[in-house]
Amino acid sequence: MHDAPRLGSLFGPDSQFHRFFNDPRWAIALIRATVLEAAHPQVGAALIDNSSFVAHPWRRLRNTLMSLQRMFGPDDDVRQREAARLNRMHARLSGTDARERPYDAMDPGVRAWVVATLFESSVTMCRLSGQPLDQTTMEQLYAEYQAFLAVLGDAAGHLPPTLAEFWPYYDRMVEEELEDTEALRIILYRLFDHLPAPPLLDGLPTVWAAGRALAGPVIGSITVASLPESFRRRAGLPDVPGARTLMQSAYVAAGLARFLPDNWLRTESLTDLLFQSSDGDASPAATLTALRGRMKQAGALFRLVAPFAEQPAPPGGPGPQRSADAFFTEVLDQTGDGYLEWPDLASMARELASRLDLDEPAETRLYQAYAEWWKELQAALDTDGDGRVSKEEYAAAVPSLAGPALIRVAEVLFDVTDADGNEFIDADEYRALFRTAFGRTVADADAGYSRSAFVKDFLSFMSGRRRSTAYDPLLAGA
């Protein structure tokens, strides 16, 4: 057996992970890995209770890709900082599932399974596309994922030490641990069928609906066909005729796309395009505006030849205010379960902390501010005492939303955004939070964004339900 590679060689541009990250096949493999993760009862329960992946799937995708880039990049300081952030985030995710079984995102065995699905799905994507990995490359990739767990601080042993021992471990997990979880069913049969448009296409509902109607069932069928056969049978997942042929064709076609010019398929470039705001920096925004114009023309032509039913207006449409019902659904209900609970506000805090790349003290302050707001909301809105706020309870007492605790959230958010502490948010600080330039949304861009103006705008958005070109993409966007 070849010598084990040094730890330093397991990260950065020369790693196997880096090569796969920009491989079109990896997009399909990542979906497969996510389904296998969700089939673990602890992971599935954590997703259902805490994740915003149903209501905000594109945000979740971007954050996952950004985290992986930080963890596998060449900068060890960035890697250690991201590992600490992930550990703080996971430490907040625990509870019990519908069968009263405990789950804990810090469970090292569960975290090992998440990493195992990424590794195994990478190996499987190569095999299904007719380009199986050789032993040396496979061992290198496995060592990289072991190093990933080591950076997180998990003790050795939860992921088998050698590749030869990994495959029996994987088979045992599939046979004994995986279940037909609610999260798995949502991903396969709800998420793809109701996937909201990414920011690039949020103004083109007809075009998006047409593409989703065609692609959703195909993606679901491909993913199911690629899962281990024993688990498919046990979970009762349908074996659609022709699905395996379609799956192999998709992997082969994606593999051929690797021969396109490198700058066409860089994951970072594609995600930047998908998530770029139309009022962002000049050059990217101009490119996006031109692209959106072309797509709108195509959408108009498509409606003429294949009209669809009228689609609801997307968030951020005309009009300064949204209804209480729309605000509850688009902003407050981050997990998409129809209720306002602590995980919804925790999801907001998590997104804000991630965007600003906060360290531990600042992140804790933000979470604590949101926790105090949740207590205030419960006291004011939870009239039936069930521990959560329904859409009806919210609509009946909307003015109560703007209490002292919400003002405290606004103050803390200003503090953690104002990185240099000069009591103004400058252009770079604004861009870190909103991912867009602030010339159009801040009255005096030269002077910066003052504390009072920031707090006023935040409260106007969160309590008055006023639409905002800054806050809608941040908290209401998909």
Side-chain angles (χ1 to χ4, degrees), residues 92 342 346 349-350 353 363-372:
R92 295 186 174 99
W342 165 241
R350 187 163 59 243
E363 181 183 278
T364 298
R365 283 186 65 203
L366 187 63
Y367 270 90
Q368 287 176 342
Y370 268 97
E372 289 301 315

Side-chain angles (χ1 to χ4, degrees), residues 88-344:
R88 292 195 304 271
M89 180 183 72
H90 290 160
R92 295 186 174 99
L93 305 179
S94 61
T96 56
D97 65 13
R99 294 165 56 181
E100 298 300 322
R101 297 177 298 182
Y103 67 82
D104 184 352
M106 284 297 288
D107 184 321
V110 173
R111 303 214 297 186
W113 173 245
V114 171
V115 172
T117 64
L118 290 169
F119 166 73
E120 190 275 339
S121 291
S122 299
V123 173
T124 297
M125 81 175 187
C126 295
R127 175 175 56 81
L128 292 176
S129 59
Q131 299 173 322
L133 297 178
D134 60 68
Q135 186 70 13
T136 300
T137 302
M138 203 182 306
E139 290 185 351
Q140 167 73 17
L141 182 64
Y142 188 60
E144 291 170 10
Y145 279 113
Q146 287 178 308
F148 176 95
L149 273 181
V151 172
L152 289 175
D154 288 2
H158 295 285
L159 202 62
T162 67
L163 183 60
E165 293 169 286
F166 172 81
W167 299 113
Y169 154 81
Y170 176 81
D171 290 340
R172 180 185 62 78
M173 291 292 295
V174 169
E175 292 293 334
E176 300 178 9
E177 298 292 335
L178 301 194
E179 298 178 359
D180 180 18
T181 65
E182 181 184 357
L184 177 148
R185 291 281 173 171
I186 288 176
I187 293 172
L188 289 176
Y189 301 117
R190 175 182 167 188
L191 184 60
F192 294 136
D193 288 345
H194 300 87
L195 189 68
L200 176 64
L201 300 174
D202 62 3
L204 303 168
T206 303
V207 173
W208 177 252
R212 182 180 60 194
L214 295 173
V218 172
I219 295 173
S221 297
I222 289 172
T223 304
V224 170
S226 70
L227 297 176
E229 184 176 355
S230 61
F231 175 68
R232 291 204 317 268
R233 289 198 307 267
R234 194 169 72 254
L237 299 176
D239 188 7
V240 178
R244 290 193 63 81
T245 300
L246 179 64
M247 170 196 67
Q248 291 177 326
S249 299
Y251 275 100
V252 170
L256 293 175
R258 292 180 302 132
F259 298 105
L260 293 171
D262 289 343
N263 59 342
W264 286 23
L265 293 173
R266 289 188 60 82
T267 299
E268 186 175 3
S269 299
L270 292 174
T271 53
D272 284 346
L273 179 62
L274 280 174
F275 291 93
Q276 177 68 45
S277 170
S278 60
D279 66 341
D281 296 337
S283 179
T287 302
L288 179 62
T289 300
L291 179 59
R292 287 171 67 96
R294 293 290 183 89
M295 297 182 71
K296 285 182 178 179
Q297 292 175 1
L301 177 61
F302 187 86
R303 286 194 297 273
L304 288 176
V305 298
F308 269 66
E310 186 70 20
Q311 300 293 325
Q321 287 189 307
R322 51 163 64 86
S323 69
D325 183 270
F327 183 76
F328 186 95
T329 301
E330 295 166 10
V331 180
L332 296 179
D333 183 15
Q334 292 282 305
T335 60
D337 65 354
Y339 291 91
L340 173 59
E341 302 176 82
W342 165 241
D344 298 298

Side-chain angles (χ1 to χ4, degrees), residues 12-27:
D14 294 328
S15 66
Q16 282 299 129
F17 172 85
H18 185 83
R19 297 186 183 97
F20 283 147
F21 190 74
N22 293 311
D23 189 321
R25 297 173 297 176
W26 204 63

Side-chain angles (χ1 to χ4, degrees), residues 61-80:
L61 172 63
R62 191 184 197 282
N63 289 345
T64 297
L65 294 175
M66 183 181 297
S67 179
L68 288 171
Q69 281 183 305
R70 290 170 176 172
M71 287 295 291
F72 282 96
D75 192 324
D76 189 58
D77 289 339
V78 171
R79 181 163 37 256
Q80 296 296 335

Side-chain angles (χ1 to χ4, degrees), residues 365-443:
R365 283 186 65 203
L366 187 63
Y367 270 90
Q368 287 176 342
Y370 268 97
E372 289 301 315
W373 186 36
W374 171 235
K375 292 178 182 177
E376 186 177 83
L377 288 173
Q378 274 190 302
L381 305 182
D382 181 19
T383 56
D384 62 6
D386 66 352
R388 57 188 183 178
V389 177
S390 68
K391 191 180 298 184
E392 294 73 22
E393 288 173 327
Y394 164 73
V398 169
S400 300
L401 203 64
L406 181 59
I407 297 174
R408 175 62 178 162
V409 171
E411 293 278 359
V412 171
L413 181 57
F414 178 88
D415 289 340
V416 297
T417 304
D418 179 24
D420 59 12
N422 69 349
E423 290 298 312
F424 282 93
I425 293 175
D426 62 28
D428 289 338
E429 292 165 344
Y430 189 93
R431 190 178 294 108
L433 178 61
F434 295 114
R435 295 191 181 130
T436 183
F438 70 10
R440 299 182 185 181
T441 55
V442 178

